[in-house]
C-alpha cells in the first residue's frame, strides 16, 4: 500500500497523492499495443539513382536510411562536393524506410505515396519478421495515399474507425518505425480536425501532438478502441524531428482512394477548372459581403466545365451540390468527390446577388493547364492612387493569357506594395470588373473613396489571386 502513495512537501504543506488512483484517469495503451501491433508493417524502399556529380549527397550518405527518408520527405537538397574535390559519376542505391498497415488478410497494405512512389523495389517486413517483396498497386500523390500488395494469406488486419466521430482532445496513438525502430508506439491527443495545409486541398487532415518522426510515414493512427482513424503523413518541423505538430490523412479518405486504386489503378476526380482563394475580412468588405464564408473564384479556365457552366472570376461559391462551402478548402474536396459527368447545382454570390448555376462536372486532368505571363520592361509612367504603375499588355502577352486583357505592373509602391503586389504581376481586374486599359483602371481607382478596400485580381506566374488594398491618401 505504501508504494502507491507519494508525499509531497512544499511551502510548509504536506500532501499525499494516491498514484494508483491518479493512474486510473490516464489511458492504458498496453492492450492496444498487444492486440494491434501485428497489423503494422515496416516498409523498406530501394531506388536506383543515376548520380549527378553536381548534386551528390555528403560522402557515405547513400546508404543512410534515416537521412534518405529525411531528405525525401522534408525537401533538404543534396549538397555539392567540397571545393577542390571531384565526385565520379556513378549509380547507387538509395534506401529509405516507412511504415504501413494491413487492410485485408490477403496482403493489401496502405501506406503513403511519398514512401513508395519512386521505388524500384519495396520490401514489407511483418511483425513476425517475415519479409515479402511488394507490388505497388497504385499511388495518389494528391492525397499521399498508396496501396501495395504482398503474396500472403491469413494476415491480421486493422479495424477501420470513423474519423467523423473523433473529438479534439481525444487520445490517439501511432505505431510505426521511426528511424527504423520497428513497432514503436507514441501517443498524444487530437489537436484539430479538418486542417487544410498549403497545396493539400483534397485532405481534411487530422492534427495531433503524437510524436511522429521520419520512418513513421504511412503508419496508422489508432483511437483507444483500437480502430485506425488515419494515416500518419506529415509533420511540421524546423529540425526534422517531432515538434508536436503531426498531420494524418483521415482513414475514410484513404479507404476511398485504395478502393479506386484496387479497381482500376488510378483515381478519378471531379473538376471545375477554376482557381480559388480564401476570403479575408478585407476581401469580404470589398465585395460587400456580410461574412467570410465561401470560396472566391480567382480565375476560370477557358472552355473548362466552370466556364461552360457560366461561372465567373469574382464569384463567391457558397454551396456546391447541396453542400455548404464555409472555407475555400471545402470546395476542392466536394468537387473532387463528385463523379465526372454529374450535373451539380452551384450557388454563387455575384455582385451582391445570389445565383444558382447548373454545371456538368468534368474529370480532373493529370496535369494542370499552363498559364504564362511576361514581365518585359516598360516605358516610364505615373503611379496611380494605390501606388501601381501599369502598362497594357502586348498582343503576344495577351495571347499567353488566352486573349484576356491585363495590365503589367511596371512598379509597385505605397498601398499596393504593402498589400504584396510586385513588379511583373499582371492585373486582370478590379473587384468584379475586367481591366480593359490603364486609363479605365485608374479612373475606377480614383472613384474609390479614401478608406475603402478594393480587390485587385492579380496573375503571378501560374496563379491568380485577389489582393485586398485599402485606398489611402
Amino acid at each position: 500500500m505504501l508504494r502507491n502513495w507519494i508525499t509531497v512537501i512544499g511551502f510548509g504543506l504536506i500532501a499525499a497523492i494516491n498514484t494508483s488512483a491518479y493512474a486510473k484517469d490516464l489511458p492504458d495503451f498496453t492492450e492496444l499495443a498487444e492486440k494491434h501491433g501485428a497489423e503494422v508493417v515496416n516498409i523498406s524502399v530501394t531506388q536506383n539513382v543515376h548520380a549527378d556529380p553536381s548534386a551528390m549527397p555528403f560522402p557515405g550518405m547513400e546508404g543512410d536510411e534515416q537521412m534518405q527518408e529525411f531528405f525525401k520527405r522534408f525537401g533538404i537538397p543534396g549538397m555539392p562536393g567540397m571545393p577542390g574535390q571531384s565526385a565520379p559519376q556513378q549509380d547507387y542505391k538509395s534506401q529509405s524506410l516507412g511504415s504501413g498497415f494491413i487492410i485485408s488478410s490477403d496482403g493489401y497494405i496502405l501506406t503513403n505515396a511519398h514512401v513508395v512512389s519512386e521505388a524500384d523495389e519495396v520490401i514489407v517486413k511483418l511483425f513476425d519478421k517475415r519479409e515479402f517483396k511488394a507490388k505497388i498497386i497504385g499511388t495518389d500523390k494528391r492525397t499521399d495515399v498508396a496501396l501495395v500488395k504482398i503474396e500472403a494469406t491469413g494476415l491480421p488486419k486493422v479495424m477501420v474507425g470513423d474519423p467523423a466521430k473523433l473529438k479534439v482532445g481525444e487520445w490517439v496513438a501511432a505505431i510505426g518505425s521511426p528511424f527504423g525502430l520497428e513497432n514503436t508506439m507514441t501517443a498524444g491527443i487530437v489537436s484539430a480536425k479538418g486542417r487544410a495545409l498549403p497545396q493539400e486541398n483534397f485532405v481534411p487532415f487530422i492534427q495531433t501532438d503524437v510524436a511522429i518522426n521520419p520512418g513513421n510515414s504511412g503508419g496508422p493512427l489508432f483511437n483507444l478502441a483500437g480502430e485506425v482513424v488515419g494515416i500518419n503523413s506529415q509533420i511540421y518541423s524546423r529540425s526534422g524531428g517531432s515538434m508536436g505538430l503531426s498531420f494524418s490523412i483521415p482513414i475514410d479518405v484513404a479507404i476511398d482512394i485504395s478502393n479506386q486504386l484496387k479497381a482500376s489503378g488510378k483515381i478519378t476526380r471531379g473538376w471545375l477548372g477554376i482557381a480559388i482563394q480564401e476570403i479575408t475580412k478585407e476581401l469580404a468588405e470589398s465585395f460587400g459581403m456580410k461574412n467570410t464564408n465561401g470560396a472566391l473564384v480567382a480565375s476560370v479556365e477557358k472552355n473548362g466545365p466552370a466556364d461552360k457552366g457560366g461561372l465567373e472570376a469574382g464569384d463567391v461559391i457558397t454551396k456546391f451540390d447541396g453542400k455548404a462551402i464555409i472555407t475555400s478548402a471545402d470546395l476542392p474536396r466536394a468537387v473532387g468527390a463528385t463523379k465526372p459527368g454529374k450535373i451539380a447545382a452551384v450557388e454563387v454570390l455575384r455582385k451582391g446577388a445570389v445565383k444558382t448555376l447548373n454545371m456538368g462536372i468534368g474529370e480532373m486532368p493529370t496535369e494542370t493547364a499552363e498559364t504564362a505571363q511576361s514581365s518585359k520592361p516598360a516605358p516610364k509612367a505615373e503611379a496611380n492612387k494605390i501606388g501601381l504603375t501599369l502598362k497594357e499588355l502586348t498582343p503576344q502577352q495577351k495571347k499567353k493569357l488566352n486573349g484576356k486583357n491585363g495590365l503589367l505592373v511596371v512598379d509597385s509602391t505605397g498601398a499596393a506594395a504593402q498589400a504584396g503586389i510586385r513588379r511583373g504581376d499582371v492585373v486582370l481586374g478590379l473587384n468584379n470588373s475586367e481591366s480593359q486599359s490603364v486609363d479605365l483602371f485608374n479612373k475606377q481607382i480614383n472613384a474609390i473613396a479614401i478608406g475603402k478596400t478594393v480587390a485587385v485580381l492579380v496573375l503571378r506566374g501560374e496563379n491568380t489571386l485577389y489582393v485586398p488594398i485599402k485606398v489611402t491618401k
Side-chain angles (χ1 to χ4, degrees):
M1 287 293 293
L2 292 177
R3 286 181 297 177
N4 291 332
W5 293 81
I6 297 177
T7 301
V8 180
I9 302 176
F11 300 102
L13 298 176
I14 300 178
I17 302 174
N18 187 336
T19 56
S20 61
Y22 177 70
K24 289 179 181 179
D25 295 330
L26 295 174
D28 184 358
F29 294 100
T30 57
E31 186 176 351
L32 192 156
E34 292 169 358
K35 287 187 175 182
H36 303 288
E39 300 158 2
V40 184
V41 302
N42 172 264
I43 296 178
S44 176
V45 172
T46 302
Q47 180 185 3
N48 296 320
V49 179
H50 184 65
D52 181 355
S54 64
M56 286 287 288
F58 289 113
M61 193 175 290
E62 295 86 354
D64 190 325
E65 297 173 347
Q66 298 173 13
M67 292 305 295
Q68 290 297 333
E69 164 71 6
F70 179 84
F71 288 151
K72 187 175 181 181
R73 186 56 184 160
F74 303 107
I76 306 299
M79 296 294 290
M82 295 297 290
Q85 295 181 346
S86 60
Q89 185 169 349
Q90 59 183 355
D91 293 346
Y92 66 93
K93 291 183 181 295
S94 170
Q95 294 183 316
S96 59
L97 293 176
S99 302
F101 53 96
I102 304 165
I103 59 171
S104 67
S105 57
D106 58 347
Y108 283 97
I109 294 168
L110 275 181
T111 185
N112 283 149
H114 77 260
V115 171
V116 300
S117 60
E118 298 177 0
D120 290 299
E121 184 181 60
V122 178
I123 300 297
V124 170
K125 187 176 182 180
L126 303 182
F127 183 77
D128 60 11
K129 307 304 180 184
R130 287 185 294 164
E131 294 187 2
F132 297 85
K133 188 174 181 179
K135 177 184 178 181
I136 301 174
I137 303 301
T139 63
D140 180 44
K141 292 185 178 181
R142 284 191 169 99
T143 57
D144 197 21
V145 172
L147 181 68
V148 303
K149 175 77 165 61
I150 61 174
E151 293 304 321
T153 58
L155 300 176
K157 64 177 182 177
V158 299
M159 297 187 298
V160 175
D162 184 358
K165 295 180 180 179
L166 271 181
K167 295 181 179 179
V168 174
E170 181 177 340
W171 284 95
V172 285
I175 301 179
S177 304
F179 300 108
L181 301 172
E182 298 171 16
N183 280 89
T184 296
M185 174 180 277
T186 53
I189 62 168
V190 176
S191 304
K193 293 178 60 180
R195 184 71 80 193
L197 299 180
Q199 309 304 320
E200 305 281 358
N201 294 329
F202 295 95
V203 179
F205 284 97
I206 303 166
Q207 181 185 329
T208 75
D209 66 353
V210 177
I212 301 295
N213 289 287
N216 273 118
S217 293
L221 183 72
F222 289 97
N223 61 19
L224 287 183
E227 301 169 329
V228 173
V229 291
I231 302 179
N232 301 314
S233 175
Q234 300 187 36
I235 64 172
Y236 173 82
S237 176
R238 297 185 180 185
S239 64
S242 174
M243 294 184 68
L245 287 171
S246 307
F247 301 94
S248 303
I249 304 159
I251 192 62
D252 56 344
V253 173
I255 291 297
D256 176 64
I257 295 298
S258 71
N259 289 338
Q260 291 190 55
L261 291 175
K262 188 176 180 180
S264 63
K266 66 175 185 176
I267 303 301
T268 301
R269 288 189 175 89
W271 176 66
L272 284 179
I274 60 175
I276 59 172
Q277 69 182 94
E278 196 74 30
I279 302 173
T280 63
K281 289 183 179 180
E282 293 80 9
L283 286 172
E285 178 189 334
S286 67
F287 285 108
M289 297 172 58
K290 296 179 180 179
N291 54 48
T292 59
N293 292 351
L296 176 60
V297 179
S299 67
V300 179
E301 186 171 319
K302 189 175 182 179
N303 295 323
D307 185 32
K308 294 176 181 178
L311 204 62
E312 300 176 0
D315 286 347
V316 175
I317 299 176
T318 55
K319 278 187 180 180
F320 176 84
D321 199 24
K323 303 179 183 71
I325 305 300
I326 305 301
T327 68
S328 62
D330 295 334
L331 186 63
R333 299 168 196 161
V335 176
T338 305
K339 188 176 181 180
K342 179 179 180 179
I343 304 298
V346 181
E347 185 177 290
V348 302
L349 182 65
R350 179 182 296 172
K351 298 181 180 179
V354 176
K355 293 181 176 292
T356 299
L357 306 173
N358 294 313
M359 58 187 67
I361 306 303
E363 182 175 343
M364 181 176 290
T366 53
E367 295 181 0
T368 56
E370 185 175 342
T371 304
Q373 67 133 65
S374 176
S375 56
K376 294 182 180 180
K380 291 184 178 180
E382 293 184 0
N384 60 24
K385 192 174 181 179
I386 56 176
L388 287 177
T389 303
L390 303 170
K391 177 197 173 185
E392 292 171 17
L393 297 178
T394 64
Q396 292 80 7
Q397 291 169 335
K398 285 185 179 181
K399 187 176 180 180
K400 292 180 180 180
L401 297 179
N402 294 321
K404 290 183 179 180
N405 289 310
L407 306 174
L408 183 67
V409 177
V410 179
D411 196 14
S412 178
T413 59
Q418 291 175 7
I421 297 182
R422 58 194 188 213
R423 182 177 179 177
D425 288 346
V426 174
V427 174
L428 300 177
L430 179 68
N431 289 343
N432 289 306
S433 301
E434 191 179 74
S435 297
Q436 300 285 350
S437 67
V438 174
D439 287 342
L440 177 60
F441 183 88
N442 289 340
K443 285 180 181 178
Q444 291 172 323
I445 285 292
N446 290 334
I448 305 296
I450 299 296
K452 293 291 185 180
T453 300
V454 295
V456 179
L457 182 59
V458 171
L459 172 69
R460 178 176 298 161
E462 297 181 1
N463 301 313
T464 55
L465 70 157
Y466 277 97
V467 179
I469 302 177
K470 191 169 186 177
V471 178
T472 58
K473 291 183 179 180

